[in-house]
Amino acid sequence: MDLEYFSQLFFGGLTRGSIYALIALGYTMVYGIIELINFAHGEIYMIGAFTALIVSSVLTLFGMPVLAVVVLAGMAAVVYSCSYGYTMEKIAYKPLRNAPRLSALISAIGMSLFLQNYVLLAQTSDFLPFPSLIPDFEFWEPYAHILTSPELVILITTVVVMILLTFLIKFTKIGKAMRATSQDKMMASLLGINVDRVISVTFVVGSATAAIGGILIASHIGQINFYMGFIAGIKAFVAAVLGGIGSIPGAVLGSLVLGWTESFFTGYISSDYEDVFAFLFLVLILIFRPSGILGRSQAQKV
């Protein structure tokens, strides 16, 4: 076995899994609180990438330093995506809070199609070049043949986001309210928790992590289009189901497993069936382990 090639596939899968994890967190947090699969979540990921492209292009025209462009474009993309997530929850999901689950599911699919076509009409159907916002680090050159500088930044950013999210959920007031709401919305409401506010904050946090993932992968790949969020969102959903939908550790674990299996499958077998393999994986999960790796008995909701 070529150890260098294996290492490239391993870290490539780790990078891919990290992006899936940033998206899957939004799926699993929303499901953990209101038991809704937000199929429009992938489009938030896409909107974050487009926002970063527009803002970075404008700032570059004004001759701003690269670091300032990265920070301001990232902040603008996160804020804009969060506003979309918040608005989407208020318009498409809140009115259906007490409706049958099928109604909310259809609404989620409708929002996904609406956002796709909205960006298609507002931008273009073509692939657009995305600037490389992450430079190559000189100190990392000896290892760049195994793990590139953009991939290193993706891994570090994902770890930081996971730590901050864990701190938010475990040690803050809104995090405790999220956990209480996920256990029993009625009792949480009786104890004075504003359940509607908690649900809105959950959508905002999930949108922020998805936007960060969109910016990172767009900068790494170098191109974006209006359809990029659909496949990424479906794969992140597969990862969330694989780890145990409703469990944050499960979403991360499932994302990493899916990223590694995709990377090794394409590297050692064929890259022509990469997407097919992900969906086949979902079918096998639902047949043999529908509760995910952690299992519903072990998985803890948000």
Side-chain angles (χ1 to χ4, degrees):
M1 180 183 294
D2 188 340
L3 184 58
E4 182 175 322
Y5 183 60
F6 176 86
S7 300
Q8 291 173 348
L9 293 178
F10 177 84
F11 286 108
L14 185 61
T15 303
R16 186 180 305 200
S18 298
I19 296 297
Y20 290 158
L22 290 172
I23 309 172
L25 287 171
Y27 278 111
T28 205
M29 289 179 66
V30 170
Y31 184 86
I33 289 184
I34 60 175
E35 296 186 348
L36 167 70
I37 302 298
N38 179 20
F39 281 115
H41 189 61
E43 277 57 54
I44 300 297
Y45 159 90
M46 175 264 295
I47 287 173
F50 267 95
T51 305
L53 173 61
I54 295 170
V55 174
S56 62
S57 299
V58 172
L59 295 178
T60 302
L61 289 176
F62 285 97
M64 295 193 68
V66 176
L67 181 59
V69 170
V70 172
V71 173
L72 293 177
M75 291 176 59
V78 169
V79 171
Y80 197 61
S81 298
C82 289
S83 67
Y84 266 89
Y86 178 85
T87 304
M88 182 171 59
E89 190 273 328
K90 293 298 182 184
I91 295 176
Y93 302 136
K94 185 178 179 180
L96 301 175
R97 194 73 49 81
N98 298 318
R101 292 185 183 180
L102 184 60
S103 301
L105 180 63
I106 294 173
S107 180
I109 296 173
M111 283 301 303
S112 174
L113 296 174
F114 170 78
L115 291 175
Q116 281 184 35
N117 286 276
Y118 161 70
V119 175
L120 169 63
L121 296 174
Q123 301 298 324
T124 176
S125 61
D126 299 329
F127 280 88
L128 297 176
F130 196 96
S132 179
L133 300 177
I134 305 173
D136 293 327
F137 305 128
E138 293 184 5
F139 74 91
W140 195 253
E141 286 185 2
Y143 315 101
H145 61 289
I146 296 177
L147 183 69
T148 64
S149 296
E151 291 175 340
L152 176 65
V153 172
I154 289 173
L155 296 180
I156 293 175
T157 303
T158 302
V159 171
V160 171
V161 170
M162 299 304 174
I163 293 173
L164 293 176
L165 185 60
T166 300
F167 178 83
L168 173 71
I169 292 174
K170 296 294 183 181
F171 302 107
T172 65
K173 185 176 180 180
I174 188 64
K176 294 176 182 178
M178 287 180 180
R179 285 184 282 146
T181 304
S182 69
Q183 293 178 10
D184 192 324
K185 290 190 288 293
M186 179 64 71
M187 184 57 68
S189 179
L190 291 174
L191 292 175
I193 295 175
N194 189 334
V195 173
D196 289 336
R197 177 172 173 265
V198 170
I199 294 173
S200 296
V201 170
T202 303
F203 271 85
V204 168
V205 173
S207 298
T209 61
I212 293 171
I215 299 167
L216 292 174
I217 198 63
S219 180
H220 179 43
I221 295 176
Q223 62 180 10
I224 60 174
N225 80 326
F226 78 99
Y227 199 66
M228 64 177 286
F230 179 75
I231 295 297
I234 293 296
K235 288 186 177 181
F237 170 66
V238 172
V241 173
L242 173 60
I245 190 72
S247 167
I248 288 180
V252 177
L253 177 60
S255 298
L256 295 179
V257 170
L258 181 61
W260 278 321
T261 50
E262 274 192 353
S263 181
F264 287 122
F265 182 87
T266 56
Y268 287 117
I269 301 177
S270 174
S271 61
D272 295 333
Y273 302 99
E274 176 184 341
D275 294 338
V276 174
F277 178 72
F279 299 128
L280 176 62
F281 209 11
L282 174 61
V283 173
L284 295 176
I285 296 165
L286 295 175
I287 293 175
F288 297 105
R289 186 71 175 177
S291 59
I293 295 174
L294 296 184
R296 186 168 294 275
S297 59
Q298 288 83 17
Q300 294 181 350
K301 290 185 178 181
V302 178

